[in-house]
PDB file of all heavy atoms in Angstrom:
ATOM      1  N   TRP A   1     -39.180  50.817 -32.445  1.00 92.00           N
ATOM      2  CA  TRP A   1     -39.558  50.190 -31.182  1.00 92.00           C
ATOM      3  C   TRP A   1     -39.850  51.223 -30.096  1.00 92.00           C
ATOM      4  O   TRP A   1     -40.837  51.116 -29.358  1.00 92.00           O
ATOM      5  CB  TRP A   1     -38.437  49.254 -30.738  1.00 92.00           C
ATOM      6  CG  TRP A   1     -38.593  48.781 -29.332  1.00 92.00           C
ATOM      7  CD1 TRP A   1     -39.446  47.845 -28.862  1.00 92.00           C
ATOM      8  CD2 TRP A   1     -37.864  49.270 -28.191  1.00 92.00           C
ATOM      9  NE1 TRP A   1     -39.302  47.701 -27.515  1.00 92.00           N
ATOM     10  CE2 TRP A   1     -38.344  48.556 -27.071  1.00 92.00           C
ATOM     11  CE3 TRP A   1     -36.851  50.208 -28.030  1.00 92.00           C
ATOM     12  CZ2 TRP A   1     -37.846  48.784 -25.788  1.00 92.00           C
ATOM     13  CZ3 TRP A   1     -36.355  50.438 -26.757  1.00 92.00           C
ATOM     14  CH2 TRP A   1     -36.850  49.726 -25.661  1.00 92.00           C
ATOM     15  N   ILE A   2     -39.007  52.254 -30.001  1.00 91.00           N
ATOM     16  CA  ILE A   2     -39.202  53.306 -29.002  1.00 91.00           C
ATOM     17  C   ILE A   2     -40.561  53.966 -29.180  1.00 91.00           C
ATOM     18  O   ILE A   2     -41.301  54.195 -28.223  1.00 91.00           O
ATOM     19  CB  ILE A   2     -38.089  54.375 -29.121  1.00 91.00           C
ATOM     20  CG1 ILE A   2     -36.769  53.851 -28.564  1.00 91.00           C
ATOM     21  CG2 ILE A   2     -38.472  55.652 -28.386  1.00 91.00           C
ATOM     22  CD1 ILE A   2     -35.596  54.766 -28.862  1.00 91.00           C
ATOM     23  N   ARG A   3     -40.869  54.285 -30.410  1.00 93.00           N
ATOM     24  CA  ARG A   3     -42.136  54.962 -30.691  1.00 93.00           C
ATOM     25  C   ARG A   3     -43.328  54.142 -30.206  1.00 93.00           C
ATOM     26  O   ARG A   3     -44.247  54.673 -29.587  1.00 93.00           O
ATOM     27  CB  ARG A   3     -42.241  55.198 -32.190  1.00 93.00           C
ATOM     28  CG  ARG A   3     -43.553  55.792 -32.632  1.00 93.00           C
ATOM     29  CD  ARG A   3     -43.709  55.578 -34.107  1.00 93.00           C
ATOM     30  NE  ARG A   3     -44.953  56.075 -34.616  1.00 93.00           N
ATOM     31  CZ  ARG A   3     -45.421  55.771 -35.814  1.00 93.00           C
ATOM     32  NH1 ARG A   3     -44.716  54.979 -36.608  1.00 93.00           N
ATOM     33  NH2 ARG A   3     -46.561  56.248 -36.226  1.00 93.00           N
ATOM     34  N   LYS A   4     -43.291  52.836 -30.475  1.00 91.00           N
ATOM     35  CA  LYS A   4     -44.406  51.973 -30.098  1.00 91.00           C
ATOM     36  C   LYS A   4     -44.422  51.699 -28.598  1.00 91.00           C
ATOM     37  O   LYS A   4     -45.456  51.834 -27.939  1.00 91.00           O
ATOM     38  CB  LYS A   4     -44.306  50.643 -30.865  1.00 91.00           C
ATOM     39  CG  LYS A   4     -45.436  49.672 -30.553  1.00 91.00           C
ATOM     40  CD  LYS A   4     -45.269  48.378 -31.341  1.00 91.00           C
ATOM     41  CE  LYS A   4     -46.373  47.380 -30.993  1.00 91.00           C
ATOM     42  NZ  LYS A   4     -46.184  46.091 -31.712  1.00 91.00           N
ATOM     43  N   ASP A   5     -43.254  51.371 -28.038  1.00 91.00           N
ATOM     44  CA  ASP A   5     -43.191  50.935 -26.642  1.00 91.00           C
ATOM     45  C   ASP A   5     -43.407  52.087 -25.673  1.00 91.00           C
ATOM     46  O   ASP A   5     -43.984  51.894 -24.597  1.00 91.00           O
ATOM     47  CB  ASP A   5     -41.837  50.277 -26.364  1.00 91.00           C
ATOM     48  CG  ASP A   5     -41.955  49.085 -25.436  1.00 91.00           C
ATOM     49  OD1 ASP A   5     -42.741  48.179 -25.761  1.00 91.00           O
ATOM     50  OD2 ASP A   5     -41.282  49.073 -24.390  1.00 91.00           O
ATOM     51  N   PHE A   6     -42.945  53.286 -26.038  1.00 91.00           N
ATOM     52  CA  PHE A   6     -43.087  54.440 -25.149  1.00 91.00           C
ATOM     53  C   PHE A   6     -44.250  55.338 -25.543  1.00 91.00           C
ATOM     54  O   PHE A   6     -44.456  56.390 -24.933  1.00 91.00           O
ATOM     55  CB  PHE A   6     -41.787  55.247 -25.138  1.00 91.00           C
ATOM     56  CG  PHE A   6     -40.666  54.586 -24.388  1.00 91.00           C
ATOM     57  CD1 PHE A   6     -39.826  53.683 -25.028  1.00 91.00           C
ATOM     58  CD2 PHE A   6     -40.448  54.851 -23.048  1.00 91.00           C
ATOM     59  CE1 PHE A   6     -38.790  53.073 -24.344  1.00 91.00           C
ATOM     60  CE2 PHE A   6     -39.413  54.241 -22.353  1.00 91.00           C
ATOM     61  CZ  PHE A   6     -38.585  53.342 -22.998  1.00 91.00           C
ATOM     62  N   ASP A   7     -45.008  54.935 -26.562  1.00 91.00           N
ATOM     63  CA  ASP A   7     -46.184  55.683 -27.015  1.00 91.00           C
ATOM     64  C   ASP A   7     -45.812  57.143 -27.308  1.00 91.00           C
ATOM     65  O   ASP A   7     -46.394  58.082 -26.771  1.00 91.00           O
ATOM     66  CB  ASP A   7     -47.291  55.611 -25.963  1.00 91.00           C
ATOM     67  CG  ASP A   7     -48.627  56.128 -26.493  1.00 91.00           C
ATOM     68  OD1 ASP A   7     -48.820  56.101 -27.723  1.00 91.00           O
ATOM     69  OD2 ASP A   7     -49.455  56.567 -25.672  1.00 91.00           O
ATOM     70  N   LEU A   8     -44.825  57.305 -28.188  1.00 94.00           N
ATOM     71  CA  LEU A   8     -44.262  58.622 -28.467  1.00 94.00           C
ATOM     72  C   LEU A   8     -44.640  59.130 -29.854  1.00 94.00           C
ATOM     73  O   LEU A   8     -44.925  58.358 -30.767  1.00 94.00           O
ATOM     74  CB  LEU A   8     -42.738  58.559 -28.405  1.00 94.00           C
ATOM     75  CG  LEU A   8     -42.064  58.474 -27.041  1.00 94.00           C
ATOM     76  CD1 LEU A   8     -40.574  58.246 -27.236  1.00 94.00           C
ATOM     77  CD2 LEU A   8     -42.305  59.728 -26.238  1.00 94.00           C
ATOM     78  N   SER A   9     -44.586  60.439 -29.988  1.00 96.00           N
ATOM     79  CA  SER A   9     -44.502  61.074 -31.301  1.00 96.00           C
ATOM     80  C   SER A   9     -43.033  61.431 -31.506  1.00 96.00           C
ATOM     81  O   SER A   9     -42.354  61.814 -30.557  1.00 96.00           O
ATOM     82  CB  SER A   9     -45.366  62.333 -31.351  1.00 96.00           C
ATOM     83  OG  SER A   9     -46.692  62.038 -30.981  1.00 96.00           O
ATOM     84  N   ILE A  10     -42.548  61.305 -32.736  1.00 97.00           N
ATOM     85  CA  ILE A  10     -41.126  61.533 -32.998  1.00 97.00           C
ATOM     86  C   ILE A  10     -40.944  62.457 -34.192  1.00 97.00           C
ATOM     87  O   ILE A  10     -41.585  62.276 -35.236  1.00 97.00           O
ATOM     88  CB  ILE A  10     -40.378  60.207 -33.244  1.00 97.00           C
ATOM     89  CG1 ILE A  10     -40.426  59.331 -31.986  1.00 97.00           C
ATOM     90  CG2 ILE A  10     -38.928  60.459 -33.651  1.00 97.00           C
ATOM     91  CD1 ILE A  10     -39.771  57.966 -32.153  1.00 97.00           C
ATOM     92  N   LEU A  11     -40.062  63.446 -34.025  1.00 97.00           N
ATOM     93  CA  LEU A  11     -39.637  64.318 -35.111  1.00 97.00           C
ATOM     94  C   LEU A  11     -38.156  64.059 -35.338  1.00 97.00           C
ATOM     95  O   LEU A  11     -37.359  64.112 -34.402  1.00 97.00           O
ATOM     96  CB  LEU A  11     -39.888  65.782 -34.749  1.00 97.00           C
ATOM     97  CG  LEU A  11     -39.349  66.844 -35.711  1.00 97.00           C
ATOM     98  CD1 LEU A  11     -39.871  66.642 -37.122  1.00 97.00           C
ATOM     99  CD2 LEU A  11     -39.688  68.243 -35.205  1.00 97.00           C
ATOM    100  N   LEU A  12     -37.798  63.793 -36.579  1.00 94.00           N
ATOM    101  CA  LEU A  12     -36.457  63.311 -36.895  1.00 94.00           C
ATOM    102  C   LEU A  12     -35.800  64.174 -37.963  1.00 94.00           C
ATOM    103  O   LEU A  12     -36.374  64.410 -39.024  1.00 94.00           O
ATOM    104  CB  LEU A  12     -36.565  61.863 -37.391  1.00 94.00           C
ATOM    105  CG  LEU A  12     -35.344  61.197 -38.019  1.00 94.00           C
ATOM    106  CD1 LEU A  12     -34.323  60.853 -36.951  1.00 94.00           C
ATOM    107  CD2 LEU A  12     -35.754  59.930 -38.770  1.00 94.00           C
ATOM    108  N   ILE A  13     -34.581  64.657 -37.672  1.00 91.00           N
ATOM    109  CA  ILE A  13     -33.701  65.224 -38.696  1.00 91.00           C
ATOM    110  C   ILE A  13     -32.666  64.160 -39.033  1.00 91.00           C
ATOM    111  O   ILE A  13     -32.068  63.569 -38.141  1.00 91.00           O
ATOM    112  CB  ILE A  13     -32.940  66.465 -38.186  1.00 91.00           C
ATOM    113  CG1 ILE A  13     -33.835  67.691 -38.109  1.00 91.00           C
ATOM    114  CG2 ILE A  13     -31.775  66.792 -39.120  1.00 91.00           C
ATOM    115  CD1 ILE A  13     -33.114  68.921 -37.577  1.00 91.00           C
ATOM    116  N   GLU A  14     -32.450  63.929 -40.305  1.00 87.00           N
ATOM    117  CA  GLU A  14     -31.460  62.916 -40.667  1.00 87.00           C
ATOM    118  C   GLU A  14     -31.014  63.107 -42.109  1.00 87.00           C
ATOM    119  O   GLU A  14     -31.820  63.445 -42.982  1.00 87.00           O
ATOM    120  CB  GLU A  14     -32.044  61.516 -40.469  1.00 87.00           C
ATOM    121  CG  GLU A  14     -31.069  60.378 -40.665  1.00 87.00           C
ATOM    122  CD  GLU A  14     -29.789  60.547 -39.864  1.00 87.00           C
ATOM    123  OE1 GLU A  14     -29.845  60.524 -38.626  1.00 87.00           O
ATOM    124  OE2 GLU A  14     -28.729  60.724 -40.507  1.00 87.00           O
ATOM    125  N   HIS A  15     -29.709  62.887 -42.365  1.00 84.00           N
ATOM    126  CA  HIS A  15     -29.171  62.939 -43.725  1.00 84.00           C
ATOM    127  C   HIS A  15     -29.185  61.564 -44.382  1.00 84.00           C
ATOM    128  O   HIS A  15     -29.134  61.469 -45.608  1.00 84.00           O
ATOM    129  CB  HIS A  15     -27.739  63.480 -43.718  1.00 84.00           C
ATOM    130  CG  HIS A  15     -27.671  64.973 -43.638  1.00 84.00           C
ATOM    131  ND1 HIS A  15     -28.177  65.800 -44.620  1.00 84.00           N
ATOM    132  CD2 HIS A  15     -27.167  65.800 -42.690  1.00 84.00           C
ATOM    133  CE1 HIS A  15     -27.984  67.054 -44.289  1.00 84.00           C
ATOM    134  NE2 HIS A  15     -27.376  67.090 -43.111  1.00 84.00           N
ATOM    135  N   ASP A  16     -29.242  60.509 -43.586  1.00 85.00           N
ATOM    136  CA  ASP A  16     -29.244  59.157 -44.136  1.00 85.00           C
ATOM    137  C   ASP A  16     -30.645  58.847 -44.683  1.00 85.00           C
ATOM    138  O   ASP A  16     -31.589  58.586 -43.937  1.00 85.00           O
ATOM    139  CB  ASP A  16     -28.872  58.145 -43.044  1.00 85.00           C
ATOM    140  CG  ASP A  16     -28.618  56.753 -43.601  1.00 85.00           C
ATOM    141  OD1 ASP A  16     -29.477  56.263 -44.356  1.00 85.00           O
ATOM    142  OD2 ASP A  16     -27.578  56.151 -43.269  1.00 85.00           O
ATOM    143  N   MET A  17     -30.761  58.889 -46.003  1.00 86.00           N
ATOM    144  CA  MET A  17     -32.077  58.751 -46.629  1.00 86.00           C
ATOM    145  C   MET A  17     -32.682  57.364 -46.443  1.00 86.00           C
ATOM    146  O   MET A  17     -33.900  57.214 -46.412  1.00 86.00           O
ATOM    147  CB  MET A  17     -31.997  59.095 -48.124  1.00 86.00           C
ATOM    148  CG  MET A  17     -31.814  60.567 -48.410  1.00 86.00           C
ATOM    149  SD  MET A  17     -33.187  61.588 -47.803  1.00 86.00           S
ATOM    150  CE  MET A  17     -32.453  62.288 -46.327  1.00 86.00           C
ATOM    151  N   SER A  18     -31.837  56.342 -46.301  1.00 86.00           N
ATOM    152  CA  SER A  18     -32.382  55.005 -46.073  1.00 86.00           C
ATOM    153  C   SER A  18     -33.108  54.954 -44.739  1.00 86.00           C
ATOM    154  O   SER A  18     -34.157  54.312 -44.609  1.00 86.00           O
ATOM    155  CB  SER A  18     -31.259  53.954 -46.102  1.00 86.00           C
ATOM    156  OG  SER A  18     -30.334  54.161 -45.042  1.00 86.00           O
ATOM    157  N   LEU A  19     -32.589  55.649 -43.744  1.00 90.00           N
ATOM    158  CA  LEU A  19     -33.243  55.717 -42.434  1.00 90.00           C
ATOM    159  C   LEU A  19     -34.529  56.520 -42.517  1.00 90.00           C
ATOM    160  O   LEU A  19     -35.582  56.087 -42.039  1.00 90.00           O
ATOM    161  CB  LEU A  19     -32.283  56.338 -41.401  1.00 90.00           C
ATOM    162  CG  LEU A  19     -32.846  56.584 -40.005  1.00 90.00           C
ATOM    163  CD1 LEU A  19     -33.312  55.289 -39.356  1.00 90.00           C
ATOM    164  CD2 LEU A  19     -31.812  57.269 -39.123  1.00 90.00           C
ATOM    165  N   VAL A  20     -34.466  57.689 -43.125  1.00 92.00           N
ATOM    166  CA  VAL A  20     -35.637  58.561 -43.232  1.00 92.00           C
ATOM    167  C   VAL A  20     -36.770  57.860 -43.981  1.00 92.00           C
ATOM    168  O   VAL A  20     -37.907  57.823 -43.523  1.00 92.00           O
ATOM    169  CB  VAL A  20     -35.269  59.883 -43.939  1.00 92.00           C
ATOM    170  CG1 VAL A  20     -36.520  60.706 -44.217  1.00 92.00           C
ATOM    171  CG2 VAL A  20     -34.287  60.684 -43.105  1.00 92.00           C
ATOM    172  N   MET A  21     -36.438  57.299 -45.138  1.00 91.00           N
ATOM    173  CA  MET A  21     -37.469  56.644 -45.949  1.00 91.00           C
ATOM    174  C   MET A  21     -37.977  55.365 -45.286  1.00 91.00           C
ATOM    175  O   MET A  21     -39.096  54.932 -45.536  1.00 91.00           O
ATOM    176  CB  MET A  21     -36.906  56.321 -47.345  1.00 91.00           C
ATOM    177  CG  MET A  21     -36.499  57.548 -48.147  1.00 91.00           C
ATOM    178  SD  MET A  21     -37.921  58.596 -48.566  1.00 91.00           S
ATOM    179  CE  MET A  21     -37.095  60.037 -49.263  1.00 91.00           C
ATOM    180  N   GLY A  22     -37.140  54.764 -44.423  1.00 91.00           N
ATOM    181  CA  GLY A  22     -37.514  53.505 -43.801  1.00 91.00           C
ATOM    182  C   GLY A  22     -38.420  53.642 -42.599  1.00 91.00           C
ATOM    183  O   GLY A  22     -39.164  52.710 -42.282  1.00 91.00           O
ATOM    184  N   VAL A  23     -38.382  54.796 -41.892  1.00 93.00           N
ATOM    185  CA  VAL A  23     -39.152  54.907 -40.656  1.00 93.00           C
ATOM    186  C   VAL A  23     -40.214  56.004 -40.671  1.00 93.00           C
ATOM    187  O   VAL A  23     -41.199  55.921 -39.930  1.00 93.00           O
ATOM    188  CB  VAL A  23     -38.238  55.119 -39.422  1.00 93.00           C
ATOM    189  CG1 VAL A  23     -37.286  53.950 -39.240  1.00 93.00           C
ATOM    190  CG2 VAL A  23     -37.486  56.433 -39.487  1.00 93.00           C
ATOM    191  N   CYS A  24     -40.024  57.049 -41.486  1.00 95.00           N
ATOM    192  CA  CYS A  24     -40.925  58.206 -41.415  1.00 95.00           C
ATOM    193  C   CYS A  24     -42.216  57.973 -42.195  1.00 95.00           C
ATOM    194  O   CYS A  24     -42.208  57.406 -43.290  1.00 95.00           O
ATOM    195  CB  CYS A  24     -40.226  59.463 -41.944  1.00 95.00           C
ATOM    196  SG  CYS A  24     -38.857  60.008 -40.914  1.00 95.00           S
TER     197      CYS A  24
END
């Protein structure tokens, strides 16, 4: 939602693979 509503580019570090695979 943040990415769409604020018109952002996002770089994400994360160990939770469900999150990474779900949003990236």
Side-chain angles (χ1 to χ4, degrees):
W1 168 76
I2 286 171
R3 175 198 178 194
K4 181 180 178 183
D5 218 55
F6 287 87
D7 191 24
L8 285 173
S9 305
I10 297 177
L11 173 56
L12 169 74
I13 285 179
E14 186 51 65
H15 279 297
D16 190 309
M17 288 298 103
S18 64
L19 175 60
V20 172
M21 297 295 172
V23 299
C24 293

